[in-house]
Amino acid sequence: MSSLIDARRLTKIYNVEGVATNALIEANFTIQPGEFVSIMGPSGSGKSTLLNLIGLLDRPTSGQYFFGGEDVADFSDQELTRLRNQKIGFIFQAFHLLPRATVMENVMLPLYYSSVSPREYHHRAQAVLEQIGMSHRLRHLPYQLSGGERQRVAIARALINEPSLVLADEPTGNLDSQNGKMVMDLIDELHEQGHTVIVITHETPTAEYAGRIIKLYDGRIVSDAPAEHTHQHYTK
Ligand SMILES: Nc1ncnc2c1ncn2[C@@H]1O[C@H](COP(=O)(O)OP(=O)(O)OP(=O)(O)O)[C@@H](O)[C@H]1O
Ligand SMILES: [Mg+2]
C-alpha cells in the first residue's frame, strides 16, 4: 500500500517585507493510512506551517509533497480545494464555527461544496451529531454552547464528508482538562474507526493518544518515534 502522506525535503519560507523566516526546513517523513501521529514542539517551531502543508491549505517553497501517491505540485488550486474538501477534516483550537449559524447549519457547511445532494444534508448532519452526542442541540447557536460542546460540533463538521484524514491543530488548547479529555477520546475513536489522524499539541498527555510523535524545533524535525501509551493519566 502506498503512503497516504509522503514529504520529501519539504520546506516553507515566509517572506515578510524582505525578511525570510524558515518556518519548515527539509522535512522528510511518510504517514501510512490509519496512523495516529502527534506533532509537538515549542511555539514558533513550525507545527501549524507543517499542518497547513499536509492539509493542502498551502504549498511548499521547495521540496515535494505527495498526497495519496500524487504530487501536489501537479494540481491546480481548484483541484487542491476539491481534494481538501473530499478527503480532509479540520479541527482547530478556536473551533472556527460560524457565529450566526445553528449547530445543524455549521455541520452541514462542508456539504455545500460537495457533490452530496441537498436532500441528504440534514440526514448526514443528524447522523454525525448523533455520533458525537450533540443531537439535542441542533438549533443552538455557537454562543449558546460550552467550549467542549463547540469543539464537538467542530468535530462533527470535520466528519461530515467522511474524510480519510483528520487534522487537528491544538484541539484541546481552549478547553479545561475534562473537556480536553472528552475531545481527545472522540478523536481517538475516529482513529479506531479507521481514520488517519494527525494532532498538533503542546501537551504531553494529548500527544500520548498517538502511536507516533514527530517533534519539531526551529523548523526542523528533531525526533520521529513511537509514543508510549500512558494516556489514562490525562491532566493539564
Ligand atoms: N503567514 C506567515 N507569514 C510570515 N511568517 C509566518 C507565517 N506563519 C508563520 N510564520 C512564522 O513561521 C514560524 C513557524 O510558525 P508556526 O505558526 O508554524 O509555529 P507553531 O509551531 O504552530 O507555533 P504555535 O505553537 O505558537 O502555534 C514562526 O516563526 C512564525 O512567526
Ligand atoms: Mg500553531
Side-chain angles (χ1 to χ4, degrees), residues 179-192:
N179 278 304
K181 181 171 186 330
M182 180 269 294
V183 161
M184 285 313 298
D185 285 343
L186 266 176
I187 290 175
D188 202 28
E189 256 174 57
L190 301 182
H191 172 239
E192 266 157 35

Side-chain angles (χ1 to χ4, degrees), residues 47-49 169-170 200:
K47 304 181 297 296
S48 296
T49 300
D169 194 341
E170 300 262 8
I200 292 183

Side-chain angles (χ1 to χ4, degrees), residues 32 47 63 74 86 89 112 135 139 144 152 154 156 165 168 174 178 194 204-205 222:
Q32 306 310 313
K47 304 181 297 296
D74 294 338
Q86 287 172 355
Y112 301 144
S135 45
R139 282 173 226 306
Q144 296 167 320
R152 271 146 75 188
L165 176 61
N174 280 343
Q178 197 186 345
T204 307
V222 292

Side-chain angles (χ1 to χ4, degrees), residues 14 16 21 23 42-49 170 202:
Y14 294 109
V16 180
T21 302
S43 181
S45 59
K47 304 181 297 296
S48 296
T49 300
E170 300 262 8
H202 281 298

